[in-house]
Amino acid sequence: SEYHVETEAEAIEDNLEPPFVIVVQGSKECGKTTLITSLVHHFTKQRVTLVRGTVTLRTNKNQRITFMECPTDMQAMIDMAKIVDLALLLIDASIGFEMETFEFLCLLHNHGMPNVMGVLTHLDYYKLNKNLRKTKKRMKKRFWKEVYDGAKLFYFSGLQSDGSYPKTEVHNLARFITVQKIKPLSW
């Protein structure tokens, strides 16, 4: 498989806006890298095995997006909160909300509150449907309380055999990402 690295000249030639910055935030082992690799595969049909630093790609002829994985240390979270256009908060459903998520949300509020969407992962840990429904409802209620009523929360059921998230779930998230409007950050 071949990667095409876009040169600065190509980007200037196409007169593109700066890329839409998407920060994927979550606690350790909640699926941040897996989410980024699944989204990159969705948009480019290329398999990425290792994510180091930023990943910038085109979603269509006129739009670029940059994925950044947010480390769990405070200084990095402060830096990310300053530049993010869309924050994807990953919440491990088997554990629940963790301190890092609340800290990052607080930082986002302090830096102009960009668009925020939640992704609930590890839902395959629930064997009983009743427990799964209760957990989803409880998590959505809490997410709305922390972010805002009606904030978008996606449910990722588990990993496929190839180590990525199910195509339909990734497709739904990708569709919402591409229609996001960048609002200028208010200070």
Side-chain angles (χ1 to χ4, degrees):
S1 60
E2 286 291 315
Y3 293 101
H4 172 71
V5 178
E6 184 174 65
T7 64
E8 197 174 328
E10 287 173 314
I12 291 169
E13 180 183 307
D14 289 348
N15 198 22
L16 293 173
E17 294 285 314
F20 187 62
V21 178
I22 300 170
V23 171
V24 180
Q25 192 276 334
S27 58
K28 290 184 185 328
E29 301 295 317
C30 70
K32 297 184 296 280
T33 305
T34 308
L35 179 65
I36 291 173
T37 56
S38 297
L39 285 165
V40 168
H41 182 256
H42 172 81
F43 287 117
T44 65
K45 306 298 179 240
Q46 300 283 329
R47 288 255 180 243
V48 178
T49 51
L50 188 64
V51 176
R52 280 207 191 127
T54 62
V55 178
T56 302
L57 51 91
R58 282 192 182 199
T59 56
N60 59 38
K61 190 172 175 278
N62 301 318
Q63 183 187 38
R64 293 181 302 160
I65 56 176
T66 296
F67 291 107
M68 300 173 95
E69 189 174 320
C70 185
T72 53
D73 70 278
M74 187 55 76
Q75 197 57 53
M77 292 197 307
I78 291 169
D79 291 341
M80 297 278 181
K82 292 175 184 175
I83 61 165
V84 63
D85 293 313
L86 169 65
L88 291 179
L89 303 180
L90 265 69
I91 301 135
D92 184 336
S94 65
I95 297 169
F97 287 89
E98 294 194 55
M99 208 59 220
E100 290 99 343
T101 308
F102 295 122
E103 289 168 346
F104 193 64
L105 267 170
C106 184
L107 290 168
L108 291 174
H109 278 289
N110 291 338
H111 291 286
M113 199 58 180
N115 295 346
V116 176
M117 289 194 274
V119 179
L120 211 51
T121 61
H122 294 113
L123 291 171
D124 53 332
Y125 286 18
Y126 292 91
K127 301 297 177 221
L128 295 174
N129 224 359
K130 186 179 180 183
N131 291 349
L132 177 63
R133 272 197 315 275
K134 274 184 181 175
T135 302
K136 282 181 174 180
K137 188 175 182 178
R138 190 171 33 96
M139 296 284 208
K140 182 166 44 170
K141 218 173 176 179
R142 183 65 193 263
F143 187 71
W144 285 7
K145 182 181 173 195
E146 296 299 331
V147 182
Y148 59 84
D149 272 355
K152 198 70 186 137
L153 184 61
F154 293 88
Y155 304 109
F156 278 38
S157 55
L159 297 178
Q160 293 180 310
S161 57
D162 66 353
S164 63
Y165 289 115
K167 270 187 177 167
T168 52
E169 295 168 1
V170 173
H171 176 75
N172 288 340
L173 177 58
R175 198 168 43 100
F176 270 87
I177 288 172
T178 54
V179 299
Q180 287 294 307
K181 298 286 179 258
I182 303 173
K183 60 181 180 186
L185 289 180
S186 56
W187 294 90

